[in-house]
Amino acid sequence: MKKTSTRLADGRELIYYDLRDDTVRDAVDRRPLDRTVTTSEIRRDALLGDAVAVASHRQGRTYHPPADECPLCPTRDGRLSEIPDSSYDVVVFENRFPSLAGDSGRCEVVCFTSDHDASFADLTEEQARLVLDAWTDRTAELSHLPSVEQVFCFENRGAEIGVTLGHPHGQIYAYPFTTPRTALMLRSLAAHKEATGGQNLFDAVLERELAGERVVLESEHWAAFVPYAAHWPYEVHLYPRRRVPDLLALDEAARTEFPRVYLELLRRFDRIFDGRADGGEGPAGPTPYIAAWHQAPFGPAGEPGDGSAVTRDDFALHLELFTIRRTSGKLKFLAGSESGMSVFINDVPPERAAKRLREVASS
């Protein structure tokens, strides 16, 4: 992998990740852009104890542009975009309309390929490995920023999820705090450690799931399953078999095997609703999904127990992949119970979801 860092016309950082070491990236951003001005502010909820990012400047962000005006495509034929070069393998740049900025963190965009009509599932294993390397490199770099406590790499895919740019891409949020979901995991992790005399909750969950009926696929270094208490209609958790706290700690064997396993999972997601085996009606189309990496915070893990505080090494890196589609023609909406009380109601039993995901395995 070759990494080339440059600056866009408004001062934002842009980084090319190339498969070839002899690739030269010297194109200049020729757009007449003013310096980016953001209004990001973190506000704490006194009752819930969580944080809300207030970012009014995002109201003016690019919204569903036509394909020939996509800002994530390369600069070609006189049309200037966010990427000055005429081609790229993987590129990362600071978001022009960030939810987090300055002392409130940082937001980046990750473009997986220059092919506007592709998706992550269309990548080759070599390309997918390059994305993994980019995620890892950005996690390392962002963790060194003084304001950053947790790095979150994720992909939103599909208009149903709320994606406003159709080009295959993901994002990276660098938070100045430990996110609420991670804090809950750390508390459960600490409580289990204390109750069991030092045993690891992530290890126990993985062992239990691999012995059950919700396994979707297994390999030498990775395991994927539908969790016992899945929140979403089709939800898969992907774990490295050797517990590590973050992407940086993955060994080469796990890195090498990841593209094959992850691409297979994504392709199965696109086949879930084929043939209407789910009882739905009408054309399903590509499955909308969210893919989210859970990594240990880089700040203090906290002390969620009486003298039994967990460490970063107690946390287990894992990827959560889920769709809001429950049948080919119906979506799962977060209504009163979910949005008002944070109590999910899942219409698809996790065992049935796992069975369906096994049925659509590649031949």
Side-chain angles (χ1 to χ4, degrees), residues 239-260:
Y239 278 71
R241 288 182 177 270
R242 182 179 70 88
R243 173 166 44 90
V244 295
D246 53 37
L247 291 166
L248 304 175
L250 284 174
D251 60 25
E252 183 56 32
R255 291 181 183 281
T256 299
E257 195 177 67
F258 172 79
R260 176 175 63 82

Side-chain angles (χ1 to χ4, degrees), residues 220-239:
E220 183 178 356
H221 301 286
W222 294 87
F225 57 86
V226 177
Y228 171 73
H231 290 60
W232 301 95
Y234 290 90
E235 175 183 337
V236 174
H237 292 191
L238 176 63
Y239 278 71

Side-chain angles (χ1 to χ4, degrees), residues 212-227:
E213 59 180 313
R214 290 178 297 276
V215 175
V216 174
L217 63 85
E218 298 180 70
S219 66
E220 183 178 356
H221 301 286
W222 294 87
F225 57 86
V226 177

Side-chain angles (χ1 to χ4, degrees), residues 145-165:
L145 296 180
S147 64
V148 171
E149 188 164 317
Q150 185 171 2
V151 178
F152 176 46
C153 306
F154 65 100
E155 179 191 2
N156 298 327
R157 192 251 201 146
E160 299 93 330
I161 296 293
V163 175
T164 57
L165 297 176

Side-chain angles (χ1 to χ4, degrees), residues 92-277:
V92 177
F93 60 89
E94 289 184 75
N95 198 321
R96 190 176 178 187
F97 304 96
S99 302
L100 309 167
D103 292 338
S104 297
R106 174 159 159 151
C107 293
E108 298 181 342
V109 177
V110 184
C111 297
F112 304 138
T113 171
S114 59
D115 184 352
H116 180 85
D117 298 317
S119 69
F120 201 119
D122 296 321
L123 301 182
T124 65
E125 291 187 16
E126 185 181 35
Q127 290 172 310
R129 169 59 191 265
L130 185 60
V131 176
L132 174 64
D133 291 341
W135 283 332
T136 305
D137 181 73
R138 296 314 302 153
T139 297
E141 292 294 326
L142 293 171
S143 71
H144 295 309
L145 296 180
S147 64
V148 171
E149 188 164 317
Q150 185 171 2
V151 178
F152 176 46
C153 306
F154 65 100
E155 179 191 2
N156 298 327
R157 192 251 201 146
E160 299 93 330
I161 296 293
V163 175
T164 57
L165 297 176
H167 196 102
H169 73 288
Q171 300 180 66
I172 301 175
Y173 277 21
Y175 297 101
F177 50 81
T178 296
T179 60
R181 285 201 67 189
T182 303
L184 286 174
M185 291 184 205
L186 291 171
R187 286 200 288 273
S188 297
L189 187 61
H192 183 84
K193 185 176 182 179
E194 182 178 2
T196 59
Q199 295 181 25
N200 187 278
L201 178 58
F202 285 111
D203 293 350
V205 167
L206 183 58
E207 181 180 1
R208 182 189 69 184
E209 293 290 2
L210 291 181
E213 59 180 313
R214 290 178 297 276
V215 175
V216 174
L217 63 85
E218 298 180 70
S219 66
E220 183 178 356
H221 301 286
W222 294 87
F225 57 86
V226 177
Y228 171 73
H231 290 60
W232 301 95
Y234 290 90
E235 175 183 337
V236 174
H237 292 191
L238 176 63
Y239 278 71
R241 288 182 177 270
R242 182 179 70 88
R243 173 166 44 90
V244 295
D246 53 37
L247 291 166
L248 304 175
L250 284 174
D251 60 25
E252 183 56 32
R255 291 181 183 281
T256 299
E257 195 177 67
F258 172 79
R260 176 175 63 82
V261 174
Y262 186 49
L263 290 172
E264 171 63 15
L265 273 181
L266 292 181
R267 290 161 186 168
R268 290 192 193 190
F269 256 60
D270 272 343
R271 291 193 293 268
I272 294 173
F273 305 103
D274 288 352
R276 304 299 175 265

